[in-house]
Amino acid sequence: AQTVTQSQPEMSVQEAETVTLSCTYDTSESDYYLFWYKQPPSRQMILVIRQEAYKQQNATENRFSVNFQKAAKSFSLKISDSQLGDAAMYFCAYRRAGYSTLTFGKGTMLLVSP
Amino acid sequence: DTAVSQTPKYLVTQMGNDKSIKCEQNLGHDTMYWYKQDSKKFLKIMFSYNNKELIINETVPNRFSPKSPDKAHLNLHINSLELGDSAVYFCASSRQGTRHTEAFFGQGTRLTVV
């Protein structure tokens, strides 16, 4: 079974600084997708970024980028120029190719201070 | 327009009652899901429906029954509610058959059993 591990229950960053959230996963598959979802206090689950395992290039979305290390099964999220609105719970998720359901990590709470 | 909408957003009920949570998506997706987020924020798949057929039931008690009248709707019925059922329930949808499908989530329903 696939597992997703987020080893940082909580992280703190100051506005305008950069922070990296860690995620590792365990799978025997070679074709899969990885995601970072953001859950603010509003409870809404918002997709932040997506990475296809067959792509070597790391995904980027504006201030958000990932460091995808397939051999190490590592998928970290870097948030640059942090903003107060980035404060939220961040979930790393895995989806096997050809399957539709997501396996989530336990989440990392990101605190952003002025 | 809300892509995935759930009703109600909050539900407080007594033990032993039967309740339903409704979900509708207007994205034209063919797969819908129910996820449960427990008090520790851990998200786990409960059910997945593809074209109105149940394709996953992850060891959920049979007091929980999903019902899909059509591709755009997936309701969750819960019988004989227990204290341990208190959680946030998320509906989601995605499109099968493409490499770039991603899951869109509703805003969640916070169920409190007293």
Side-chain angles (χ1 to χ4, degrees), chain A residues 34-39 44-51 61 91 93 102, chain B residues 100-105:
Chain A
L34 297 165
F35 305 85
W36 279 98
Y37 278 89
K38 169 185 178 182
Q39 187 179 37
Q44 181 70 51
M45 292 289 289
I46 302 165
L47 179 65
V48 174
I49 200 164
R50 175 185 57 228
Q51 175 78 43
E61 289 287 343
F91 292 95
L102 294 164
Chain B
H100 300 292
T101 184
E102 61 190 64
F104 289 82
F105 284 79

Side-chain angles (χ1 to χ4, degrees), chain B residues 16-89:
Chain B
N17 284 350
D18 303 336
K19 290 294 179 185
S20 295
I21 305 172
K22 295 184 177 182
C23 178
E24 177 182 5
Q25 56 95 3
N26 62 5
L27 298 167
H29 289 165
D30 54 9
T31 304
M32 296 185 71
Y33 316 84
W34 281 106
Y35 286 85
K36 178 180 179 179
Q37 186 173 42
D38 63 22
S39 59
K40 295 184 179 180
K41 302 283 189 181
F42 185 57
L43 276 153
K44 189 174 180 182
I45 184 72
M46 297 177 70
F47 299 104
S48 175
Y49 255 80
N50 179 263
N51 286 323
K52 295 173 58 180
E53 292 185 21
L54 178 67
I55 56 177
I56 290 180
N57 179 346
E58 293 289 331
T59 61
V60 175
N62 57 15
R63 298 182 295 104
F64 291 78
S65 56
K67 287 185 171 53
S68 180
D70 55 58
K71 284 196 332 182
H73 296 83
L74 181 63
N75 303 324
L76 183 64
H77 300 278
I78 316 171
N79 296 325
S80 303
L81 277 155
E82 301 177 356
L83 292 176
D85 297 332
S86 296
V88 178
Y89 293 86

